[in-house]
Amino acid sequence: MGTVTLGVSIAVPEPYGSFLQKRREGFGDPHAHGIPTHVTLLPPTEVDSSSLPAIERHLAEVAAAGRPFRMRLSGTGTFRPLSPVVFVNVVEGSSSCAWLQKRVRDASGPVARELQFPYHPHVTVAHGIAEEAMDRAFEELADYEAAWTIDGFALYEQGEDGIWRLERDFPFGTDVTPGGTGAAVPRQGGLTPLTRPSP
């Protein structure tokens, strides 16, 4: 059946998501249009296509144990010189993100994996571009602030065109009611959910 590349993340809702995606594009990041603004829970991971049902069951179990939490972004940070990344800081909600990502990658689950670097929740706004542009991203978003309530996460798949598309939403718990204060997963930059051909 082949392999697919998956990622699990918390989407940054509108209007914040599109704003940061457009800023990332404006800094000259060529990948900005294909990456919805997010906080990563599982970095890009190649899996066998046949394992998708098991992965979705696992993620549903993780989500069922989760509860809504507040996330707040404030200011910028960077992983340079270790990694060419400038990001917006997660200053509230980071412990909940850490809890979730650990369970997503649990050694007993279908997407168990080690991380290249210690987990640090963040929202990337520039990656692998010229140093001057990285400096500009760091400076121009230094005063950025945003806050909202997280009520779930999502599974994304990277297409052959390099664009990440929404595969499935995973809302937290069973007590999250539709129309509540949580934010829906956005379809940023005109991206639409991935549709699979019928078997």
Side-chain angles (χ1 to χ4, degrees), residues 13 68 79-80 88 103 125 154 192:
F79 294 133
R80 295 183 292 174
V88 173
R103 279 149 186 80
V125 291
T192 55

Side-chain angles (χ1 to χ4, degrees), residues 109-126:
V111 283
R113 61 166 291 176
E114 296 296 321
L115 298 179
Q116 185 178 1
F117 303 107
Y119 183 72
H120 180 91
H122 63 281
V123 177
T124 298
V125 291

